Amino acid sequence: MSERKLKVSGGATDDHGLVVGNTFDKYGSANPVVKWMMKGFDSAMSELVDIANPEAIYEVGCGEGYWILKWRTKGIRASGCDISQQVVELARENTALAGVPEESFEQCNIYDLERPSDPKELIVCCEVLEHIDDPLRGLEALHRIAGDFVILSVPREPLWRALNVVRGKYLHQLGNTPGHIQHWSSRSFQDFVSQVFEIIEVRRPLPWTMLLCRRRG
């Protein structure tokens, strides 16, 4: 994968006041702690994708295109959507030099996902559910479009907020990252997801919970 730094939204807000995209370039950070954490996240994600062994991936909440670009370089057909048109345009810009077609990215709210004629083989939805006001409705939308497998991840609480406080971030919000309105421990997130999906693998790269799930029904 190219080492070219990706452009990020910087935590911009959309017309509805939602924080969209990444607040900083966590994948390109030179901070050794951030690099160590992202290495753990990348490793967990890669393990779960290898287990699912998909030919195609659809990412809900694709952000600025990091993972779609990475999967494409591995020969996996990858596309995705994001709620923010601004972020979609950044994703298109970030991946254009690698030959990723513009139509690989679309603007869509998770709630509006419609079941396609060819359900997506693997759905990936990371760092999204903690941002939305009705996460169960979001899970049900993912269930509509899923083929076999779904990978989900969210920040692991209260560890996430504690680490923010330790590094002196968002102190007035007690360490809560802007835009996070849902908070789960690893156990409570698994209980929540189990309402809709069968969980088959669990990973806990610090400080996240990441699940590989199978579609029911």
Side-chain angles (χ1 to χ4, degrees):
M1 180 177 173
S2 170
E3 294 300 320
R4 184 173 63 91
K5 288 178 70 67
L6 272 62
K7 295 181 180 180
V8 299
S9 73
T13 56
D14 67 5
D15 293 339
H16 304 287
L18 293 174
V19 178
V20 296
N22 287 293
T23 56
F24 74 104
D25 183 9
K26 58 189 178 185
Y27 297 107
S29 174
N31 182 293
V33 176
V34 174
K35 289 175 71 174
W36 175 77
M37 289 194 300
M38 294 315 302
K39 182 178 179 181
F41 187 96
D42 280 31
S43 177
M45 175 67 78
S46 296
E47 286 179 14
L48 297 186
V49 169
D50 286 347
I51 292 170
N53 192 28
E55 293 183 1
I57 298 175
Y58 188 78
E59 185 179 13
V60 177
C62 63
E64 296 91 350
Y66 173 87
W67 278 105
I68 287 177
L69 180 56
K70 189 165 186 172
W71 293 321
R72 286 261 180 171
T73 62
K74 293 184 176 182
I76 301 173
R77 296 195 311 274
S79 57
C81 69
D82 199 277
I83 191 173
S84 167
Q85 185 62 39
Q86 174 186 346
V87 171
V88 166
E89 294 302 327
L90 281 175
R92 289 171 175 167
E93 185 176 348
N94 283 331
T95 60
L97 291 180
V100 178
E102 182 176 303
E103 59 269 23
S104 299
F105 302 95
E106 58 185 339
Q107 188 276 326
C108 184
N109 189 312
I110 187 173
Y111 300 139
D112 298 330
L113 293 168
E114 297 290 343
R115 183 163 179 81
S117 57
D118 56 335
K120 310 299 184 181
E121 188 176 359
L122 171 62
I123 301 295
V124 173
C125 184
C126 293
E127 314 307 290
V128 172
L129 294 173
E130 69 271 20
H131 291 274
I132 63 178
D133 57 2
D134 192 344
L136 181 57
R137 185 180 165 202
L139 276 189
E140 291 167 345
L142 296 173
H143 190 272
R144 280 199 302 272
I145 68 169
D148 298 320
F149 296 107
V150 176
I151 293 175
L152 306 167
S153 79
V154 295
R156 195 187 330 161
E157 297 289 7
L159 179 60
W160 180 275
R161 282 176 290 181
L163 290 175
N164 276 338
V165 170
V166 168
R167 67 192 187 99
K169 295 292 186 180
Y170 317 127
L171 297 180
H172 291 298
Q173 294 78 36
L174 300 179
N176 189 56
T177 300
H180 289 195
I181 59 176
Q182 307 293 339
H183 306 90
W184 290 282
S185 67
S186 183
R187 181 71 263 168
S188 65
F189 186 59
Q190 292 176 64
D191 290 343
F192 167 67
V193 171
S194 294
Q195 297 177 84
V196 178
F197 292 101
E198 175 190 359
I199 298 171
I200 58 177
E201 293 283 343
V202 179
R203 297 290 185 274
R204 297 179 182 85
L206 192 72
W208 293 276
T209 302
M210 188 181 296
L211 309 176
L212 174 63
C213 309
R214 182 178 284 116
R215 186 182 189 277
R216 288 182 176 145

